[in-house]
Amino acid sequence: MDPGPQRALNPLAPSQDTAMHVPAGSVTSHWGTTGRGYFCFTTASLALCLVFAVATIMVLVVQKTDSIPNPPGQFPLKGGNCSEDISCILKRAPFKKSWAYLQVSKHINKTQLSWNKDGIIHGVRYQDENLVIQFPGWYFIICQLQFLVKCPEHAVDLKLELLINKDVKKQTLVTVCESGAQTKNIYQNLSQFLLEHLQVNTTISVKVDKFQYVDTNTFPLENVLSLFLYSSSD
């Protein structure tokens, strides 16, 4: 058919020349502009959220600092910076009725750990490797231990258990030396905490399956058992 009549029959159809001459960069330019807009909006939103979060944290820190009274006197620290020392934190805290801070004994010969009797104890009794509660209420209990393992030819399981009245309430387990290769030294930290309502004469103790790996030489000040009365029920 002649090209002239064909164009006459299809007056609305776009010509091939017009379709072939759409600028190739126009679509890319459109999507690029939109993408840049989304990117700028997302970046601005994240920056605003970050500023708000930092401001909130600063307000909370200031409020927490203001709520903690200054200690009436100077206290000898058991180790390091006051801000990082559990005993110092306990001494600065507003609760004074019942709390304890004990370091592990250097002479460990069984799974239930013993603690130095010259630790800091107030409103709690230490007897037969146990802390004994004197006031009922909610207690926060913290235990941290450092281990030093000279790897044998097999894996070693290190387990820390917190016991209330001889019953395991919380435990932490980690396996070291899994590769089987004899490594010179592996240092491992295990810690556990517990918030529990305790009655008078309740006992608290700690057990370690592989007690021979508890490191009392390299980090003697970092093996601690601590608790404080969070809320009294008297």
Side-chain angles (χ1 to χ4, degrees):
M1 183 181 291
D2 185 66
Q6 196 172 30
R7 282 193 295 269
L9 291 174
N10 299 283
L12 299 179
S15 66
Q16 293 181 357
D17 293 341
T18 303
M20 293 296 291
H21 287 83
V22 175
S26 61
V27 175
T28 305
S29 175
H30 171 73
W31 286 108
T33 303
T34 305
R36 284 193 297 272
Y38 284 137
F39 175 77
C40 292
F41 176 76
T42 303
T43 303
S45 300
L46 291 175
L48 182 61
C49 292
L50 179 61
V51 170
F52 179 77
V54 171
T56 303
I57 293 172
M58 291 179 66
V59 170
L60 292 175
V61 169
V62 171
Q63 290 178 346
K64 185 67 175 176
T65 303
D66 292 341
S67 66
I68 299 177
N70 290 326
Q74 299 296 325
F75 298 95
L77 298 182
K78 292 280 182 177
N81 192 313
C82 181
S83 63
E84 300 175 353
D85 191 272
I86 298 176
S87 66
C88 185
I89 293 172
L90 290 173
K91 288 168 184 174
R92 289 178 178 270
F95 40 80
K96 295 291 183 181
K97 189 172 184 179
S98 181
W99 57 284
Y101 178 86
L102 299 175
Q103 296 174 348
V104 74
S105 172
K106 280 187 170 292
H107 306 290
I108 303 173
N109 54 14
K110 58 181 178 179
T111 58
Q112 181 166 328
L113 299 184
S114 58
W115 307 89
N116 291 330
K117 295 181 180 180
D118 60 351
I120 305 169
I121 300 178
H122 180 76
V124 189
R125 187 160 47 91
Y126 179 70
Q127 180 180 352
D128 299 329
E129 303 167 349
N130 297 280
L131 286 173
V132 185
I133 298 301
Q134 303 298 298
F135 300 98
W138 288 92
Y139 282 81
F140 195 79
I141 307 165
I142 310 165
C143 182
Q144 173 181 278
L145 295 174
Q146 306 289 340
F147 294 82
L148 172 58
V149 181
K150 296 181 179 180
C151 285
E153 296 180 354
H154 55 80
V156 176
D157 292 329
L158 302 175
K159 183 166 65 174
L160 164 65
E161 296 178 332
L162 275 178
L163 295 87
I164 306 295
N165 289 332
K166 307 301 181 183
D167 296 325
V168 177
K169 286 293 184 178
K170 270 294 192 68
Q171 62 181 358
T172 301
L173 174 67
V174 65
T175 301
V176 297
C177 309
E178 291 183 282
S179 64
Q182 291 191 355
T183 308
K184 185 175 182 180
N185 289 323
I186 288 183
Y187 292 92
Q188 180 68 49
N189 172 284
L190 288 185
S191 60
Q192 189 57 267
F193 65 90
L194 174 66
L195 179 63
E196 187 83 5
H197 188 273
L198 304 177
Q199 300 295 335
V200 177
N201 293 326
T202 298
T203 61
I204 302 163
S205 58
V206 177
K207 281 189 176 182
V208 175
D209 189 25
K210 303 293 193 307
F211 61 85
Q212 66 271 26
Y213 294 123
V214 176
D215 184 11
T216 59
N217 296 315
T218 309
F219 305 105
L221 303 179
E222 305 301 325
N223 297 304
V224 296
L225 171 64
S226 179
L227 67 79
F228 63 84
L229 178 60
Y230 177 75
S231 176
S232 175
S233 59
D234 286 356

